[in-house]
Amino acid sequence: MANYTQRAIIQTFQDMLKEMPFDKITVSAIVARCDISSNTFYYHYHDIYDLLDTWLHIREIKYFEEKDYGKTPQIFDFYNKEMTEIKTCM
């Protein structure tokens, strides 16, 4: 069930990004569209920025797989390190 819920949240987030800028998307709007509780959202993600981070990471993986660079290129290690540093500055 968790994977299904996470996929639904991410798909809803992606759909909303096509309709509006990121700064207009709220957790409340996401949970309303997914028909889940905010507790469920926060079970999977710390906040909207954590969801954004996950969504970006998924997009990067798909990009590199499509380019046939392999499933775990070193850039992911760099990305994870950089994102950790950025999050500590927020």
Side-chain angles (χ1 to χ4, degrees):
M1 187 66 156
N3 285 337
Y4 173 81
T5 304
Q6 285 178 295
R7 284 194 308 268
I9 293 169
I10 289 171
Q11 184 60 52
T12 300
F13 179 68
Q14 183 168 316
D15 293 345
M16 292 177 81
L17 281 172
K18 292 176 185 174
E19 299 168 14
M20 63 189 77
F22 171 75
D23 64 341
K24 300 296 182 195
I25 299 173
T26 63
V27 172
S28 298
I30 292 170
V31 301
R33 278 204 193 182
C34 283
D35 197 27
I36 60 171
S37 71
S38 59
N39 286 342
T40 300
F41 177 90
Y42 289 113
Y43 175 79
H44 295 287
Y45 305 100
H46 295 288
D47 54 25
I48 193 99
Y49 299 101
D50 188 26
L51 174 58
L52 175 64
D53 182 47
T54 301
W55 179 79
L56 287 170
H57 191 70
I58 290 167
R59 302 272 302 189
E60 287 176 334
I61 289 170
K62 287 181 181 179
Y63 174 81
F64 284 107
E65 285 177 348
E66 288 172 2
K67 297 294 182 186
D68 199 26
Y69 292 133
K71 293 190 180 217
T72 55
Q74 290 179 342
I75 194 163
F76 294 131
D77 294 332
F78 172 78
Y79 169 79
N80 288 331
K81 180 180 176 243
E82 291 299 310
M83 286 307 297
T84 302
E85 291 178 15
I86 290 170
K87 285 180 183 178
T88 59
C89 295
M90 294 179 141

